[in-house]
Amino acid sequence: MTHTRTRLERGRNALGPALELVHTGRAPTRSVLTTELGVTRATAGAVATELQTLGLITVDSRPSAAPGSQGRPSHRLAIADDGPVVLAAQVHADGFRAALVGLGGRIVATAPGCMTVDADPAQVLGEVVAAGTALLRDSGRRCVGAGLAVPSAVAEPEGTALNPLHVAWPAGAPVRAIFNRCLADAGLDVTGFCGNDVNLAALAEHRHGAGRAAAHLLCVATGHRGVGGALVLDGRLHTGSDGLALEVGHLTVDPQGRPCHCGGRGCLDVETDPLALLDAAGRTPDPEASPLDQANEVVRAAYAPDATARDTAARAAVATVIDRLGLGLAGLVNILNPDRIILGGLHRRLLEADPARLRAVVEERSLWGRSGTIPILACTLDHNSLVGAAELAWQPVLDDPLAARGEWDLIVVDTPPSRSALDFLDA
């Protein structure tokens, strides 16, 4: 009996790790799940069945065999298409966007982005939740959590926005508390979480995108304004003692450069963001349009086959900003020694436009350039900060799927109410 009880406990303890393996695409079959978990085939089967009963994954017990393969193929595991979702939202300098995101980082639905951000965070987050609630009503999906990405360092665990430099919110705004109050006012009985937008983008890319399998992942990105950075170590975000780690936007790359919002001068934040590129190219920003879209258009025009003289000047501006970015990345590499760098937003476009130039600057100005090469890749996920915000909301489910069963009031099918698939390991 002692041995059987141990098997049962192992099965229940394996639910969270098993769900995370399927969630991140690392266990596409029951055979792989068995190996990754280090359990018996029977336990892996019971775990997969329980996750299916919870409505989180699907198990295909009769998958088609690949041409030329021998033996019966292993059961296929996939995220349930009609499973629960979380409400995810991102606030940035020029607006916000709300979405419904399922397991696997799948964006189920999005609301059109709003281009106004009120100075009162309660007003903005109320609109965010209203947009998300409308998506839930239209989809008919069950919501099990909520996550929010904001353009500020976020103190942990309080969830206060410490330095929202690019939105007019007061420093120290209790964003997480406001978010949860808005969710409750909208009748959503879920817990809301919040985090820095670039941190969450890095988390999403590490689990579902260009950062998969990296042990020490450095992410640097610029969105509508400003520059952010994030570091993922052994699958976990490194946020420092108070949530302020990796404020790479305030790394100086030109001591004689532009004044920065932080009080310094020549920071990445003001030397390599969209407004910096527009300024270097001699373009006056259109206040009615997104700075990121305008900067991306400068990059596109600069490298177009039919580039004009004006576009040639833009190409010189792009090269200047690439060199500044390369200097910043080289300094970060010397300090952090990552095994992969991923770039998002405008930085992704700069890498795609002239990868050789950027990599050459980083190699020349960093110690590892003399002994090896660290991959510099473009982020691959659309709306990766939204997906990262969803990861915050999914984490409690990944930690303990069985506890979530009671919270969601799921109807358990094909199994007596008093027992789960794992209980049959006692037999």
Side-chain angles (χ1 to χ4, degrees):
M1 187 63 183
T2 301
H3 176 67
T4 303
R5 179 59 58 186
T6 300
R7 288 177 57 199
L8 174 59
E9 291 173 350
R10 285 179 180 173
R12 287 176 174 164
N13 291 338
L15 278 174
L19 181 58
E20 183 166 337
L21 286 167
V22 180
H23 171 63
T24 55
R26 290 178 290 157
T29 68
R30 192 176 69 179
S31 176
V32 174
L33 184 67
T34 302
T35 301
E36 291 291 327
L37 293 178
V39 297
T40 66
R41 181 178 176 184
T43 298
V47 166
T49 299
E50 181 68 8
L51 293 175
Q52 183 177 37
T53 300
L54 289 170
L56 299 173
I57 73 169
T58 60
V59 180
D60 182 359
S61 61
R62 295 186 177 182
S64 57
S69 62
Q70 297 181 352
R72 187 175 68 179
S74 180
H75 294 191
R76 299 289 302 180
L77 308 179
I79 297 301
D81 290 334
D82 58 351
V85 296
V86 297
L87 190 163
Q90 178 185 10
V91 176
H92 52 74
D94 297 305
F96 67 79
R97 182 180 293 272
L100 304 182
V101 183
L103 283 167
R106 298 176 181 175
I107 296 179
V108 174
T110 60
C114 171
M115 294 302 289
T116 59
V117 176
D118 195 272
D120 179 5
Q123 177 67 31
V124 179
L125 299 185
E127 295 179 20
V128 164
V129 172
T133 302
L135 290 175
L136 286 168
R137 184 173 57 250
D138 293 342
S139 70
R141 303 288 280 268
R142 179 188 295 108
C143 181
V144 299
L148 173 68
V150 296
S152 169
V154 176
E156 299 172 345
E158 300 87 354
T160 55
L162 296 177
N163 61 341
L165 297 177
H166 300 290
V167 292
W169 295 351
V175 175
R176 181 178 179 184
I178 295 171
F179 187 42
N180 275 284
R181 186 166 64 245
C182 291
L183 291 168
D185 290 345
L188 293 177
D189 186 19
V190 298
T191 300
F193 301 88
C194 68
N196 171 263
D197 50 4
V198 179
N199 275 352
L200 298 182
L203 181 62
E205 292 284 346
H206 186 268
R207 291 184 175 180
H208 307 292
R212 280 182 175 176
H216 304 285
L217 175 67
L218 172 64
C219 175
V220 177
T222 177
H224 295 257
R225 292 172 201 163
V227 175
L231 185 67
V232 180
L233 299 176
D234 296 323
R236 298 288 181 180
L237 279 171
H238 174 70
T239 56
S241 59
D242 295 308
L244 282 169
L246 273 294
E247 283 289 309
V248 304
H250 304 293
L251 179 70
T252 300
V253 293
D254 182 1
Q256 307 304 316
R258 299 172 176 81
C260 182
H261 317 280
C262 70
R265 183 176 288 274
C267 299
L268 276 178
D269 213 55
V270 292
E271 298 291 346
T272 68
D273 79 338
L275 292 178
L277 177 59
L278 292 173
D279 181 68
R283 308 289 177 89
T284 301
D286 179 356
E288 301 300 321
S290 160
L292 178 60
D293 291 344
Q294 296 175 71
N296 284 336
E297 176 57 28
V298 169
V299 178
R300 187 205 64 77
Y303 287 85
D306 56 348
T308 64
R310 183 171 185 243
D311 295 329
T312 301
R315 188 163 184 166
V318 170
T320 297
V321 175
I322 286 177
D323 289 348
R324 294 172 185 161
L325 175 60
L327 285 174
L329 293 179
L332 291 168
V333 164
N334 286 338
I335 296 169
L336 301 173
N337 188 31
D339 59 8
R340 192 178 310 175
I341 300 171
I342 57 173
L343 303 179
L346 175 62
H347 293 166
R348 169 184 175 179
R349 302 300 176 199
L350 297 175
L351 171 65
E352 292 169 343
D354 197 342
R357 185 182 190 99
L358 179 60
R359 289 175 177 137
V361 173
V362 178
E363 289 182 13
E364 178 184 353
R365 300 301 291 267
S366 63
L367 296 175
W368 63 263
R370 302 183 183 90
S371 60
T373 299
I374 296 176
I376 304 177
L377 307 175
C379 290
T380 57
L381 299 178
D382 293 330
H383 306 302
N384 51 19
S385 290
L386 274 177
V387 176
E391 291 298 313
L392 288 183
W394 276 118
Q395 193 59 53
V397 181
L398 296 174
D399 290 339
D400 194 348
L402 271 182
R405 174 170 60 179
E407 293 176 9
W408 307 340
D409 193 26
L410 289 175
I411 298 175
V412 181
V413 296
D414 296 330
T415 304
S418 61
R419 305 190 73 184
S420 73
L422 297 175
D423 292 322
F424 290 101
L425 289 173
D426 278 332

